[in-house]
């Protein structure tokens, strides 16, 4: 079984992808503070305009994982 070279994989991934991932994490933490952790169990945080960098209060909503991950945007 071959081992993965995580350092190489991280270097290949673009900075934009890493930044978007970071902003998605921030959005989840914002909603956890606002709504509480229990309301987010088994759910995803969705950006209405599909821009993960826009974490304004009006742009965030909670959706089921199946509905949010089936969007092909």
């Amino acid at each position: 079984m071959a081992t993965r070279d995580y350092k190489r994989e991280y270097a290949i991934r673009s900075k934009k992808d890493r930044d978007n991932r970071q902003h998605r994490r921030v959005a989840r933490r914002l909603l956890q503070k606002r709504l509480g952790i229990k309301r987010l169990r088994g759910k995803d945080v969705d950006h209405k305009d599909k821009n993960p960098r826009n974490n304004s209060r009006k742009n965030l909503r909670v959706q089921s994982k199946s509905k949010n991950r089936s969007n092909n945007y």
Side-chain angles (χ1 to χ4, degrees):
M1 180 177 203
T3 59
R4 290 177 63 177
D5 186 1
Y6 291 101
K7 186 176 181 180
R8 185 177 153 271
E9 288 180 25
Y10 188 78
I12 290 172
R13 186 180 297 167
S14 72
K15 183 168 175 16
K16 182 180 176 185
D17 290 342
R18 290 185 302 223
D19 286 346
N20 285 344
R21 176 79 174 137
Q22 177 185 356
H23 283 83
R24 286 188 197 103
R25 283 190 222 118
V26 169
R28 184 160 187 90
R29 283 196 303 269
L30 288 172
L31 278 184
Q32 281 178 345
K33 279 185 189 177
R34 196 170 85 199
L35 302 175
I37 294 173
K38 288 184 179 181
R39 292 219 22 221
L40 289 179
R41 284 196 185 137
K43 306 254 177 164
D44 275 347
V45 174
D46 181 41
H47 293 83
K48 292 178 184 176
D49 65 356
K50 305 301 178 199
N51 179 9
R53 294 174 185 239
N54 182 3
N55 286 336
S56 66
R57 190 176 199 137
K58 293 179 182 178
N59 191 43
L60 298 177
R61 63 182 168 198
V62 177
Q63 281 191 338
S64 67
K65 285 183 181 180
S66 62
K67 185 173 183 181
N68 190 38
R69 296 178 186 187
S70 67
N71 293 339
N72 294 323
Y73 295 102

